[in-house]
Amino acid sequence: MLRKFFSYYKPHKRLFIIDFTSAVVVAILELAFPVAVQWFIDQLLPSGDWNQILTVGALLLLVYILSTVLQFIVSYLGHKLGINIETDMREQLFTHVQRQSFRFFDNTKTGHVMSRVTNDLFDIGELAHHGPEDFFIAIMTFFGAFAIMFQINPELAVIAVIMVPFLCWLVAYCNIKMNQAWKNMYSKIADVNARVEDSVSGARVVQSFTNEEFEINRFKVDNGGFRLAKLKAYKVMAGTHSSIYMMTRLVTLVILVVGAWFSFNRNLSYGEFVSFILFVNVLIKPVDKISALLELYPKGMAGFKRFLDLINQEPEIKNRPDAVEVESLHGNIIFDDVHFKYDEHKEVLQGIDLAIRPGETVAFVGPSGAGKTTICSLIPRFYDVDKGAIMIDGIDIRDMTTHSLRSQIGIVQQDVFLFTGTIRENIAYGKLDATDSEIYEAARKAHLQDFIASLPDGYETQIGERGLKLSGGQKQRLAIARMFLKNPPILILDEATSALDTETEKIIQQALNELAENRTTLIIAHRLATIRDADRVIVVTEDGIAEDGTYEELVEKGGIFANLHHIQFQQIGH
Ligand SMILES: Nc1ncnc2c1ncn2[C@@H]1O[C@H](COP(=O)(O)OP(=O)(O)OP(=O)(O)O)[C@@H](O)[C@H]1O
């Protein structure tokens, strides 16, 4: 896993080398400073040579400037490295998710993918930046400082180092406490987020039930919980900072007193004494860094593992190596003994045989859950059949590239999904490089032009999140316009279940009829009035295809369809 992690540094090798080298130089300068002070006090001060003192002062100033510039490089380029790696991973993840098959989305929670793309990658980016650099620098400064201290005065060096494990223990203990507190806080903020998301997206339901007070009270509970958790985290943080402060001061104090004793009795010069005090700080700093790493490492690595788990999931539907690019299919669709199941429990389709001629309009009817949508989902290869085959124009769809196959099929879903953006952008989704006149033509064919003309911003009107500002009928017509632009030879219409008013329905039906012209069209029908003009009606039940024929034939046959026909037309008073 570590090797895989480091492979993400490869494209940013140059950045890493500059950042790392700068960090090493900063660490060396940090080690050199106490030595310079010692020399300054012991050699330069007694000489009383002001020229030399000023020259050394100027030199030290240059060193400070260099160190400051390098610090900036380390901080900026280090973060740049982390962000670059994070961005690469995020792009890889998004691309990977885009290529996943329907089954992946059936089984994956949106919130989980969201948290992979945001939180996890943030932690990984932090680790990528701080991990190797801080670890190396901490080890280097710690042992470097100890080696120099040991050279100046071995006994005093050992006394200083003996106290470090206590400090490490304290830091580790505080870290555990802090982690618990932060974890608790994150879970509380997740509650608050979930509550806000629910109430905002469900605002219409809340208001229609006049449950605003109820929602506010529920929110108050979550918000209060978050406040307490955050307060606790800050209390732990304050405790941690002050105890670490106390402990480091204690180490300095011990060295101050023992060092004073050494300077009286054991020939420790004033310069060495001062440099020792300075070195204590250099020695302690890495402890802090390593402790921060101890927190960062498991978090980042756990995130990276979740990232790899996702990245390593192979898309279920893949192109065969010799898959062909198909163009302008005629739409001769054949199901040959098709078996399919979503999961092990139940086979949804058992041996479906079906032949649809090019240009035919076929309506699928039958009880809810019988498998009409499933049959239609297999044609664009959203799922692969378990047994049997589906052929279009004599070619097995698994021998076509999914991209070329799907570009030949248009689907108007029951629940139209629109993207946040303008009407123009949403229509153009059917053909990304569509010209203005193509877009206007599509809108006209979908009987949308009058509606668009009545809007102050026309085609540039924002339709709100998922098209919230549009009515059901307008959304449907927008989806139809999209399909006119895509212009596929095969069309799948999942008919809306919710009844539209008669006028709108008539307009939409007219648009759909025009759309279906000269295409092979499959309609998943719920209302029989809309399929009177279909060439064929296929009745799907849990046992497979039960009836197949023209509308009139099936009514005359007196079977399931005839029954459906009588029920529906009795209900609406025919
Ligand atoms: N993504 C899925 N994962 C698991 N099972 C599914 C999935 N989609 C549908 N099913 C199941 O497969 C069966 C057939 O569903 P399908 O949606 O094809 O029926 P339908 O005839 O189109 O129904 P409706 O008329 O209500 O839209 C049902 O039992 C359903 O619960």
Side-chain angles (χ1 to χ4, degrees), residues 102-103 106-107 340-343 346 348-349 365-377 383 414 494 497 524-526 540 542:
F102 272 38
R103 211 183 291 272
D106 290 344
N107 300 325
F340 176 77
K341 54 179 174 301
Y342 286 103
D343 46 50
K346 187 178 140 210
V348 179
L349 304 178
V365 296
S368 179
K372 304 178 292 287
T373 309
T374 307
I375 290 177
C376 293
S377 306
Y383 301 90
Q414 191 180 104
D494 197 348
T497 35
I524 302 166
H526 296 99
V540 184
E542 288 212 1

Side-chain angles (χ1 to χ4, degrees), residues 406-412 483 486 488-493:
R406 289 175 189 169
S407 66
Q408 302 286 306
I409 302 172
I411 303 169
V412 181
M483 222 31 83
K486 183 171 179 181
I490 300 170
L491 196 62
I492 297 172
L493 305 176

